[in-house]
Amino acid sequence: MMAHNVIKLKQSLAVALPLLITFLVFSNNAHSQSAEQIEQLRQRAQQTNSSSAGTSAVSPLNISSQRTLPGATQSGSAVGQFSTQPRNGVSLPGEPTIDTVFPLQTAMENPPFAANLFIGGFESERTSGMNDNYLVAPGDKISIWLWGAVNFSDVVTVDNQGNIFIPNIGPIRIANTPAGSVNQTVTGKIRQVYTNDVNVYVNLLTTTPVSVYVSGPVLRPGQYAGLASDSVLYFLKRAGGVDFQRGSFRQIDVLRDNKVVASADLYAFFRSGKLPSLSFKDGDTILVHPIGNTITVETGARNSFTFEFLNEELNGEAVNYFARPGEFASHASVAGVRGDKQYARYLSIEEFSTLTLRAGDTVEYVADNEPQIYRINVAGAFSGASQVMIDKGTRLLDVLDHIEADTSLSDTQNIFLLRESVAIKQKEIIEEGLQRLERSMYTAPISSTGEGAIRAQEAQLVADFIARARQVEPQGRVVVSENGDIANILLEPNDTIVIPEVTDLVHVGGEVLLPQSIVFNPEATTEDYLAWAGGFTERAEDERILIVRKNGNVTFSNLNGNLLSGAESQLEPGDQIIVLPAIDTKLLQAVKDITQIVFQVAVAANVATN
């Protein structure tokens, strides 16, 4: 039995021994590989992985940067995973965010003055060079070279006592030394020992970050890392900036050992670039105080913001300084509360500057200067400038005396005006008629189902007409000339004086077959011009034909059968003959309103409504 066991043991060793030798040989070869060979294997593995993209094979030389947390679900690509890279502001599942811990606030119409200091990502920008004013702190690294009679090179670290140690030299006090003076300070100490034949070069390599607390009404209070040379703005931006509705832009303190070592006023920085000169240390606290007295400037200023003022600044002069009223602002409107009663004042800018204000007041700047000079436009056939500046109270003939015109090309007998106020009034008249038409259309009684179907069709046609009529823009034409006489009317701001050109044409349009311009014939009648334009269309209204004179006046001609009655003998070159469309009385109920609106549109805009 024992012999049998020995035989089995020999057989097992015979099988296992070659495998063991092979493993030991492979292991020795693996450990004896050079770093270059290992790098080649790593590159070969990366090439293999890139060529087999899309497969599920995993190589130990290409470890993914994201791994699944134990027990986590795979409901999404960003849920239940962690990344070795910085979060860059991405919130973890269940982590409090601004939306969950901050009260919901509506957007401010007038944001705080200097609020744009916290726009952008300037806190992430770093300069490539060293700040010469940076004060060396414990933990900073300094490179030192000595050559000549003595050779030495090393990178030393500033210890907790603020010293660096150099062999044969001893400790050198370097803490709180400006970066630009490090070379001079260390070289001076070395030359006290090595006086001859030794060259020295010293360079500050790195700076140690400091940890600063930001507290008070900021969006993300907490602890932030930065350089000692960073500004108060840097740490405030890291904390999300000052809370617009709760935090102060004027009272920001830096605390060290429970004492105020510096104070910042962001208004002073915004207006004159002043910030406290301070080198931060570990454990410093930036404290933002609650917001102080606020005055809101709503309109009329270059800086229409919500301003925060100190108690001694609550006056109109300080508001004028920061808000900067517009050039033409002449008055200031102030509204607020005094003694539980509403308070309002309307003052000139000079009077407002001496007014004492209260927290919560609102200010509006108003350009309340009555215009004494305004602009008049000139259009048509004339020579010279197209705009004229006139004094208030100037009349038409006073301006015409200063406009150059060639009597052979300019029709000075048919001058007319285009006035904005008249155009607005014409638009209002048309709109009133359209609203009346809409009311009559939607409130008309219906006596039967068949009549209801007809009314529905009529309503659609009328609605289309109303939509198109609302698009018409009146010209605001004012008739000022008649038979060579010109009315000397008072001019208004932005009036346009139109001097028509001399023409030999009569224009025919509207519901005619061939709308065109025809050479004026003193012996031709209105019927002749209509015949030369191809005659009426089937939709023409032949009982009332609109004639728009060159001076803007409007008359009508009546056509009874083949006979024309009216003012046909008065046609002149430049006149317009407009044939309006007829309204079918069998289909529409509100014929009177529609006909009236059609004529109003034609007269106001000199167009034919199709």
Side-chain angles (χ1 to χ4, degrees):
M1 184 69 178
M2 184 178 297
H4 178 70
N5 292 336
V6 171
I7 293 172
K8 292 184 65 177
L9 179 60
K10 290 181 178 180
Q11 291 175 349
S12 298
L13 290 174
V15 174
L17 187 58
L19 295 175
L20 179 60
I21 294 173
T22 303
F23 172 76
L24 292 175
V25 172
F26 175 78
S27 178
N28 291 334
N29 290 338
H31 285 289
S32 63
Q33 286 177 332
S34 65
E36 181 179 358
Q37 291 173 328
I38 294 175
E39 182 64 26
Q40 290 177 357
L41 288 174
R42 187 176 287 110
Q43 294 177 358
R44 187 180 305 168
Q46 292 177 353
Q47 294 175 358
T48 303
N49 290 335
S50 62
S51 63
S52 60
T55 65
S56 60
V58 179
S59 170
L61 298 178
N62 187 17
I63 300 176
S64 174
S65 62
Q66 293 189 348
R67 302 173 184 173
T68 304
L69 292 172
T73 59
Q74 295 291 333
S75 59
S77 60
V79 179
Q81 296 181 345
F82 72 90
S83 174
T84 60
Q85 302 298 323
R87 290 195 292 157
N88 295 325
V90 178
S91 302
L92 293 176
E95 183 180 17
T97 62
I98 291 293
D99 296 333
T100 59
V101 303
F102 211 75
L104 181 62
Q105 297 177 348
T106 58
M108 302 177 65
E109 294 184 0
N110 299 88
F113 180 69
N116 53 341
L117 286 175
F118 302 109
I119 296 177
F122 66 85
E123 81 285 357
S124 62
E125 301 294 333
R126 292 291 188 187
T127 58
S128 58
M130 182 68 66
N131 180 9
D132 289 340
N133 296 321
Y134 169 74
L135 300 180
V136 176
D140 290 347
K141 296 184 180 300
I142 299 176
S143 177
I144 300 176
W145 288 272
L146 302 179
W147 69 96
V150 176
N151 292 323
F152 173 81
S153 65
D154 194 7
V155 176
V156 296
T157 303
V158 181
D159 59 25
N160 291 332
Q161 300 180 21
N163 302 323
I164 60 173
F165 186 84
I166 304 176
N168 299 326
I169 302 296
I172 300 176
R173 180 70 178 177
I174 199 69
N176 294 324
T177 300
S181 303
V182 170
N183 191 0
Q184 180 181 358
T185 301
V186 177
T187 299
K189 294 293 184 181
I190 293 175
R191 293 197 181 279
Q192 291 179 5
V193 178
Y194 299 109
T195 57
N196 297 318
D197 299 331
V198 175
N199 298 308
V200 182
Y201 182 78
V202 180
N203 184 36
L204 178 62
L205 295 180
T206 61
T207 56
T208 303
V210 296
S211 179
V212 175
Y213 297 92
V214 182
S215 182
V218 294
L219 296 185
R220 295 187 298 272
Q223 184 180 13
Y224 295 92
L227 299 180
S229 58
D230 285 330
S231 67
V232 173
L233 278 178
Y234 170 83
F235 290 102
L236 288 175
K237 182 62 170 66
R238 290 288 303 275
V242 177
D243 183 356
F244 290 172
Q245 297 188 359
R246 300 184 300 123
S248 172
F249 281 70
R250 309 293 305 275
Q251 302 179 56
I252 302 172
D253 293 333
V254 180
L255 305 179
R256 182 176 299 163
D257 298 329
N258 295 325
K259 296 181 180 179
V260 177
V261 296
S263 296
D265 183 351
L266 298 186
Y267 280 21
F269 171 74
F270 201 85
R271 291 303 301 262
S272 56
K274 296 180 180 179
L275 272 181
S277 178
L278 176 70
S279 180
F280 283 96
K281 294 184 177 181
D282 271 326
D284 285 352
T285 300
I286 299 176
L287 177 62
V288 178
H289 290 270
I291 192 171
N293 307 310
T294 58
I295 303 293
T296 301
V297 177
E298 294 184 343
T299 58
R302 294 182 180 87
N303 298 325
S304 295
F305 296 106
T306 298
F307 295 91
E308 178 185 356
F309 292 116
L310 305 178
N311 292 331
E312 60 272 16
E313 296 175 337
L314 285 175
N315 53 69
E317 184 179 4
V319 175
N320 290 338
Y321 173 76
F322 284 100
R324 299 188 63 193
E327 289 88 349
F328 300 104
S330 60
H331 292 74
S333 173
V334 184
V337 176
R338 302 287 190 275
D340 297 330
K341 294 182 180 180
Q342 185 177 3
Y343 173 85
R345 291 291 185 273
Y346 188 74
L347 308 168
S348 66
I349 296 294
E350 293 75 14
E351 295 172 339
F352 172 71
S353 62
T354 61
L355 180 68
T356 300
L357 301 176
R358 296 281 183 89
D361 286 350
T362 60
V363 178
E364 294 184 34
Y365 290 100
V366 182
D368 200 6
N369 295 310
E370 184 178 0
Q372 300 297 324
I373 299 177
Y374 41 78
R375 181 181 61 189
I376 297 296
N377 305 307
V378 183
F382 69 99
S383 300
S386 61
Q387 295 182 353
V388 179
M389 303 303 294
I390 64 173
D391 295 330
K392 183 179 179 180
T394 302
R395 296 185 175 273
L396 177 59
L397 294 182
D398 299 332
V399 177
L400 292 179
D401 292 339
H402 297 84
I403 298 177
E404 299 180 4
D406 187 349
T407 56
S408 62
L409 300 176
S410 303
D411 189 355
T412 56
Q413 304 299 314
N414 290 296
I415 293 175
F416 60 91
L417 292 180
L418 298 180
R419 178 165 289 178
E420 292 180 351
S421 60
V422 175
I424 294 173
K425 188 62 178 179
Q426 290 175 336
K427 187 75 172 179
E428 292 176 354
I429 293 174
I430 295 174
E431 180 61 27
E432 290 175 359
L434 294 175
Q435 292 177 358
R436 184 170 60 251
L437 179 59
E438 283 181 324
R439 288 193 298 269
S440 64
M441 177 181 64
Y442 290 118
T443 59
I446 300 175
S447 58
S448 64
T449 304
E451 184 180 357
I454 295 175
R455 288 292 177 83
Q457 296 179 357
E458 293 177 357
Q460 183 60 44
L461 293 175
V462 173
D464 294 341
F465 166 78
I466 291 174
R468 297 173 64 181
R470 282 197 169 115
Q471 297 177 359
V472 175
E473 294 296 333
Q475 293 182 339
R477 181 177 294 196
V478 180
V479 179
V480 296
S481 59
E482 183 72 25
N483 299 324
D485 296 329
I486 299 177
N488 192 21
I489 68 172
L490 191 67
L491 295 177
E492 294 183 2
N494 214 29
D495 276 352
T496 300
I497 303 173
V498 181
I499 304 176
E501 295 180 353
V502 173
T503 182
D504 296 323
L505 302 177
V506 173
H507 310 282
V508 184
E511 295 296 334
V512 293
L513 293 177
L514 300 173
Q516 59 181 314
S517 298
I518 303 171
V519 176
F520 174 73
N521 187 338
E523 299 180 358
T525 63
T526 306
E527 185 178 11
D528 295 329
Y529 288 106
L530 293 173
W532 291 333
F536 298 118
T537 64
E538 295 180 356
R539 299 172 52 192
E541 171 62 64
D542 56 1
E543 294 184 359
R544 302 192 72 185
I545 300 173
L546 187 67
I547 298 178
V548 181
R549 302 296 185 181
K550 195 174 182 179
N551 62 355
N553 201 358
V554 177
T555 59
F556 291 93
S557 289
N558 298 323
L559 189 63
N560 300 320
N562 294 325
L563 299 177
L564 185 68
S565 63
E568 67 275 4
S569 60
Q570 300 176 2
L571 286 177
E572 297 178 357
D575 289 349
Q576 300 180 53
I577 302 174
I578 300 177
V579 181
L580 300 177
I583 307 301
D584 193 344
T585 59
K586 297 180 181 179
L587 295 178
L588 299 176
Q589 297 292 328
V591 177
K592 180 179 179 181
D593 289 338
I594 293 180
T595 304
Q596 181 181 10
I597 294 173
V598 168
F599 281 111
Q600 289 174 349
V601 169
V603 172
N606 287 349
V607 296
T609 305
N610 296 324

